[in-house]
Amino acid sequence: MELAEYIKILKKNAYLVALFTVLGIALALVFVSKINKGPRYEQLFFIMSVSEEERTPAERTGESIASTKEAQDAVYRFEGFYATEKARNFTDTALAIILSPDFKNEVTTQATALSARKIAPQLIRLSIYAANLDSARSTMNKTKDRFNQKIVDLTGDSEFQLKPIGTAIVPVTAQPQPKALIIFGAIAGFVFALVTIGFKTYFKV
């Protein structure tokens, strides 16, 4: 098929090209409207079992202070490993709580948004979308404090806690440029139109 015939087919189906291109742009605009506005701030948090840190050697071993050093060390190593494994397994539960709609409604406002991601077995990265650093820091602290309190409310103790790694909240580059997304939507719509015209022509629809 010669180039002239392709052009003729495109002209004949110009309405489809225009339709799908406009639809692609419209979908891109909808997607842009859903993107969280404002800067994004991130901080890493460690899921740990604080009970092991706070117990005395006698409490950790369940024996008196007069127990032998060898027995204390053996029990300490066992309970330390057990506490770490519990904390590692608890990370998925912690992430599910943080991402739940009810919890988000408790710690965010219309001007802020919260997301979380598991980085490692005991490591979670919290991301706050806010207009400025002060608002982000306030929401981050509120999220940590509310999570730790919720664990106490749900389990009756504070064995697992969310601990910040450092004090810095790292600002992250904004979301992809809307113009780029709109251009991509237009190209995607145009390509889809060409595919549709190809099938239409092939099957003589």
Side-chain angles (χ1 to χ4, degrees):
M1 186 179 292
E2 297 180 358
L3 179 60
E5 293 184 40
Y6 284 112
I7 295 176
K8 182 179 179 180
I9 293 173
L10 286 178
K11 287 182 177 180
K12 183 180 178 181
N13 296 277
Y15 70 96
L16 281 179
V17 175
L19 175 63
F20 285 114
T21 302
V22 171
L23 285 176
I25 294 175
L27 290 175
L29 289 173
V30 172
F31 181 76
V32 168
S33 69
K34 298 296 183 181
I35 294 177
N36 289 303
K37 301 298 191 298
R40 183 170 88 246
Y41 301 90
E42 296 182 344
Q43 188 171 14
L44 292 176
F45 288 84
F46 189 70
I47 298 290
M48 66 177 296
S49 175
V50 297
S51 57
E52 284 302 308
E53 296 293 327
E54 296 175 349
R55 290 175 184 169
T56 64
E59 291 172 328
R60 285 197 298 266
T61 60
E63 302 174 36
S64 66
I65 297 298
S67 302
T68 64
K69 184 178 185 304
E70 290 78 7
Q72 289 179 339
D73 290 342
V75 177
Y76 175 76
R77 285 194 298 270
F78 172 77
E79 292 202 357
F81 171 80
Y82 180 67
T84 299
E85 285 301 300
K86 286 178 66 179
R88 286 164 62 93
N89 295 333
F90 182 74
T91 306
D92 290 334
T93 301
L95 191 64
I97 293 174
I98 294 172
L99 293 178
S100 66
D102 289 342
F103 183 84
K104 286 185 175 182
N105 289 335
E106 292 179 16
V107 299
T108 61
T109 64
Q110 292 183 347
T112 59
L114 167 68
S115 66
R117 182 179 179 185
K118 178 181 176 181
I119 305 300
Q122 286 180 257
L123 199 62
I124 289 177
R125 182 175 64 203
L126 295 185
S127 299
I128 302 294
Y129 298 86
N132 53 66
L133 179 59
D134 289 339
S135 179
R137 182 178 290 112
S138 175
T139 304
M140 194 78 76
N141 291 333
K142 185 178 180 181
T143 300
K144 172 182 67 69
D145 295 339
R146 183 67 191 109
F147 174 85
N148 291 340
Q149 181 58 48
K150 183 171 285 290
I151 294 304
V152 174
D153 296 341
L154 293 173
T155 65
D157 61 42
S158 58
E159 181 178 7
F160 297 110
Q161 295 285 280
L162 202 61
K163 299 288 183 179
I165 298 178
T167 57
I169 298 180
V170 181
V172 180
T173 305
Q175 297 287 339
Q177 294 295 323
K179 289 183 179 179
L181 293 174
I182 292 172
I183 292 174
F184 175 79
I187 294 174
F190 180 77
V191 171
F192 187 79
L194 293 181
V195 173
T196 302
I197 292 170
F199 278 108
K200 181 175 178 290
T201 303
Y202 180 81
F203 291 106
K204 306 295 184 181
V205 177

